[in-house]
């Protein structure tokens, strides 16, 4: 076992001899003393080098710069003036990796930080976001396993499209022309509900998004679920319970990280405490008109700006249902009461964050789904394997997809989705 303990553990110990290792977060020095704030993945602590103890090594100590890696043995004591309330008087140390002129300093431009993303990941902000991201992934796995879902995996190379052709990335697959990167697992998930009934995944999805928005990436992590024997209300019921579980876990585990991000946890509490707001698309148009002065023609999809205005009215997510059939995918089931609309739902996060989940009850009748495909200009013959799901023991079923970075953006209160993933990919940004 390593003799080194996390800085957070050292702080919890409160006093005495400790061994820690980490990287220089800040440093300043005088002729007689050098102060180094050391960080590791757990926290920061101030360490003091006294010249009297290290005369022969003083030039090395004096030269220590931001991001140098150190092992330190020393004596810990409380010190109100230190950044995390404790200080270590260094007794012995080893410089494991030197660092010179670390490029990232205060107040650098967004572009500069994006070019140096590999280094910016070490910042306190990114470290906090990455920890919350970890909690969210873990919570999604926990939720689905607790609810009796199996984790299942679909291919990333796919030969059929699910969410519309214009956003497909084609791949040079041994010179074949009809291979694309997955936009969703759905067409490959539905065949598996006949084996496992309740399944979920967290996997990358790819969309050739040409628009520059604060919530679209070209590569994002997609948590998707599909279940047999469902009714529409089961689908959005799981969406609501899943989001509550995720927020609960973040509030249990990540208050220090939310504080680093200056994200007020009180803004997330209503999501735990209150039922989500449920409205139909038609009701949403009415509210947009009456409360936001925005007129949307029935039949048009809600745009980002409309979602933003609508969600600013609430402190919990909105479950918006029964969108017009013509703006939604071919597999969404018509509403028997109004066949111009579908049993589909979008979850819209509060405070202007917008869509985080899209889901639906699926059309399970073979002839109806073929007709919907033709209506969208598709050739049902291309979907032969998929249509077998409606031939051999078809059952009512449904599912949803959740953009994990959208959840990270909302929970962390980020301006842009780009900070919700370590190396964001957009139309313009694919390096480093
Ligand atoms: P939007 O209207 O925001 O483009 P969509 O209707 O295309 O979303 P779906 O096809 O329903 O989205 O995908 C399911 C979920 O995947 C969305 O609710 C969202 O959380 C997430 N998502 C979709 N596209 C992206 C993207 N480009 N980047 C990040 N997340 C995305
Ligand atoms: Mg889209």
């Amino acid at each position: 076992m390593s003799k080194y303990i996390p800085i957070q553990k050292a702080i919890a110990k409160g006093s005495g001899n400790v061994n820690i290792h980490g990287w220089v977060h800040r440093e300043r020095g005088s002729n007689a003393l050098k102060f180094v704030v050391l960080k590791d993945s757990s926290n920061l602590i101030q360490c003091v080098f006294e010249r009297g103890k290290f005369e022969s090594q003083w030039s090395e100590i004096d030269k220590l710069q931001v991001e140098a890696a150190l092992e330190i043995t020393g004596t810990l004591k409380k010190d109100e003036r230190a950044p995390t309330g404790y200080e270590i008087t260094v007794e012995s140390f080893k410089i494991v990796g030197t660092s010179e002129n670390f490029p990232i300093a205060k107040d650098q431009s967004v572009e500069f930080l994006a070019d140096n993303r590999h280094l910016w990941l070490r910042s306190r902000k990114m470290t906090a976001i990455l920890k919350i991201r970890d909690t969210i992934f873990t919570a999604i796995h926990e939720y689905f396993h607790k609810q009796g879902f199996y984790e299942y995996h679909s291919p990333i190379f796919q030969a059929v499209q699910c969410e519309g052709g214009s956003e497909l990335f084609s791949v040079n697959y041994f010179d074949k022309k009809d291979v694309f990167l997955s936009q969703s697992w759905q067409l490959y998930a539905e065949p598996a509900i006949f084996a496992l009934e309740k399944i979920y995944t967290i996997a990358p999805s790819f969309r050739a998004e040409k628009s520059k928005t604060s919530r679209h990436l070209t590569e994002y992590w997609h948590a998707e679920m599909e279940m047999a024997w469902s009714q529409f209300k089961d689908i959005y019921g799981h969406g609501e319970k899943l989001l509550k579980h995720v927020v609960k876990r973040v509030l249990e585990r990540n208050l220090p990280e939310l504080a680093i991000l200056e994200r007020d946890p009180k803004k997330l509490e209503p999501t735990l405490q209150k039922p989500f707001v449920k409205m139909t698309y038609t009701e949403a148009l009415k509210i947009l008109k009456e409360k936001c002065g925005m007129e949307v023609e029935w039949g048009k999809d809600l745009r980002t700006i409309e979602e933003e205005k609508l969600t600013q009215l609430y402190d919990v997510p909105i479950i918006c249902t029964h969108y017009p059939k013509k703006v939604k995918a071919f597999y969404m089931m018509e509403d028997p009461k109004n066949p111009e609309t579908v049993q589909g739902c979008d979850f819209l996060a509060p405070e202007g964050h917008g869509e985080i989940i899209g889901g639906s009850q699926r059309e399970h009748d073979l002839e109806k789904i073929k007709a919907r495909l033709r209506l969208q200009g598709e050739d049902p013959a291309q979907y032969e394997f998929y249509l077998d799901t409606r031939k051999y023991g078809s059952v009512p079923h449904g599912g949803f997809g959740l953009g994990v970075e959208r959840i990270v953006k909302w929970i962390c209160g980020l301006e842009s989705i780009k900070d919700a993933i370590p190396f964001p990919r957009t139309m313009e940004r694919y390096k480093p």
Side-chain angles (χ1 to χ4, degrees):
M1 223 179 72
S2 167
K3 67 175 183 172
Y4 298 98
I5 58 170
I7 290 173
Q8 185 55 41
K9 242 188 172 160
I11 290 174
K13 200 174 156 205
S15 65
N17 191 261
V18 291
N19 300 300
I20 58 168
H21 52 192
W23 294 265
V24 175
H25 178 61
R26 270 200 302 269
E27 51 78 27
R28 69 189 158 87
S30 67
N31 223 357
L33 294 172
K34 174 98 171 179
F35 292 93
V36 163
V37 176
L38 204 74
K39 64 166 182 192
D40 66 5
S41 62
S42 73
N43 208 340
L44 309 171
I45 193 159
Q46 177 160 291
C47 304
V48 193
F49 295 80
E50 294 164 359
R51 184 165 187 163
K53 279 194 191 130
F54 300 110
E55 192 56 54
S56 64
Q57 292 153 294
W58 192 248
S59 70
E60 277 176 84
I61 295 170
D62 198 36
K63 275 194 291 208
L64 279 175
Q65 286 187 25
V66 165
E67 292 302 327
L70 300 179
E71 290 171 354
I72 281 177
T73 297
T75 317
L76 180 85
K77 62 173 187 339
K78 230 181 155 77
D79 188 327
E80 303 295 345
R81 294 162 303 173
T84 43
Y86 287 85
E87 186 178 85
I88 292 174
T89 307
V90 181
E91 307 299 345
S92 66
F93 74 96
K94 185 173 156 199
I95 300 173
V96 179
T98 56
S99 165
E100 262 178 62
N101 302 325
F102 190 65
I104 295 181
K106 262 204 158 101
D107 301 326
Q108 268 153 335
S109 72
V110 173
E111 271 312 286
F112 182 87
L113 295 179
D115 289 338
N116 289 281
R117 189 72 174 182
H118 56 296
L119 301 176
W120 179 237
L121 287 183
R122 307 175 180 201
S123 63
R124 289 202 94 198
K125 175 179 172 180
M126 283 310 302
T127 306
I129 294 169
L130 293 175
K131 285 186 194 173
I132 293 172
R133 187 180 157 96
D134 165 70
T135 300
I136 293 171
F137 273 77
T138 306
I140 295 170
H141 285 296
E142 277 170 1
Y143 175 82
F144 282 119
H145 277 129
K146 232 173 34 205
Q147 294 284 334
F149 284 72
Y150 291 97
E151 185 173 355
Y152 165 82
H153 305 99
S154 61
I156 297 291
F157 290 132
Q158 297 185 358
V160 287
Q161 51 176 280
C162 177
E163 299 295 331
S166 63
E167 286 165 10
L168 278 173
F169 277 112
S170 53
V171 184
N172 183 350
Y173 194 85
F174 308 109
D175 297 327
K176 302 282 186 302
K177 292 276 180 287
D178 58 347
V179 180
F180 308 98
L181 294 181
S182 169
Q183 293 176 300
S184 163
W185 83 330
Q186 192 185 322
L187 303 188
Y188 294 87
E190 287 179 63
I193 60 167
F194 299 89
L196 299 171
E197 298 188 42
K198 291 163 77 177
I199 53 177
Y200 82 99
T201 201
I202 314 182
S205 275
F206 303 87
R207 301 200 181 184
E209 307 281 3
K210 292 189 191 74
S211 56
K212 282 182 243 165
T213 74
S214 59
R215 55 190 195 137
H216 288 92
L217 296 164
T218 53
E219 174 182 321
Y220 71 96
W221 286 79
H222 204 170
E224 297 185 85
M225 70 82 119
E226 196 72 31
M227 63 187 289
W229 313 106
S230 69
Q231 294 180 315
F232 182 38
K233 66 174 171 26
D234 301 323
I235 304 306
Y236 57 77
H238 276 299
E240 177 164 357
K241 282 185 283 178
L242 170 63
L243 290 177
K244 282 180 184 285
H245 181 70
V246 167
V247 168
K248 176 169 166 272
R249 278 290 190 245
V250 171
L251 291 176
E252 282 167 2
R253 287 181 57 179
N254 297 113
L255 290 180
E257 286 74 32
L258 292 174
I260 289 169
L261 299 172
E262 297 176 15
R263 173 69 164 145
D264 183 359
K266 289 213 164 51
K267 293 254 162 85
L268 298 169
E269 283 166 8
T271 294
L272 265 193
Q273 292 153 357
K274 299 202 274 184
F276 291 4
V277 171
K278 200 158 159 283
M279 63 178 72
T280 64
Y281 163 87
T282 307
E283 285 162 350
L285 296 197
K286 199 159 164 261
I287 294 167
L288 276 167
K289 188 172 170 190
E290 285 168 6
K291 298 204 175 144
C292 312
M294 295 176 109
E295 193 113 22
V296 181
E297 190 188 324
W298 199 97
K300 289 248 159 72
D301 207 356
L302 295 183
R303 293 173 306 164
T304 304
I305 174 78
E306 286 128 16
E307 283 183 1
E308 265 172 30
K309 288 282 181 246
L310 189 65
T311 60
Q312 276 160 6
L313 301 173
Y314 304 94
D315 58 3
V316 297
I318 300 171
I319 309 173
C320 188
T321 64
H322 298 89
Y323 283 81
K325 186 166 68 184
K326 61 183 176 190
V327 300
K328 290 290 181 190
F330 70 90
Y331 49 74
M332 293 196 186
M333 192 171 193
E334 284 172 9
D335 182 34
K337 289 192 223 98
N338 178 2
E340 283 313 301
T341 65
V342 285
Q343 296 183 55
C345 54
D346 280 0
F347 281 59
L348 312 176
E351 302 170 69
H353 285 281
E355 182 180 334
I356 48 178
I357 290 182
S360 71
Q361 182 74 359
R362 317 303 189 193
E363 177 54 67
H364 61 270
D365 181 88
L366 180 62
E367 291 314 316
K368 279 192 185 154
I369 203 162
K370 276 186 180 168
R372 291 281 292 285
L373 272 168
R374 281 192 212 98
L375 211 63
Q376 294 197 359
E378 296 278 341
D379 175 9
Q382 294 286 321
Y383 291 79
E384 208 164 337
F385 87 90
Y386 175 70
L387 295 175
D388 277 355
T389 55
R390 276 49 170 184
K391 269 190 206 159
Y392 306 109
S394 186
V395 289
H397 67 284
F400 64 71
L402 166 160
V404 183
E405 287 77 17
R406 298 257 177 112
I407 305 292
V408 175
K409 174 177 180 284
W410 161 49
I411 287 182
C412 295
L414 305 176
E415 286 280 311
S416 165
I417 196 166
K418 286 187 235 167
D419 278 336
I421 187 164
F423 289 93
R425 298 295 181 236
T426 63
M427 191 160 125
E428 277 125 12
R429 173 66 63 185
Y430 52 95
K431 290 175 187 169

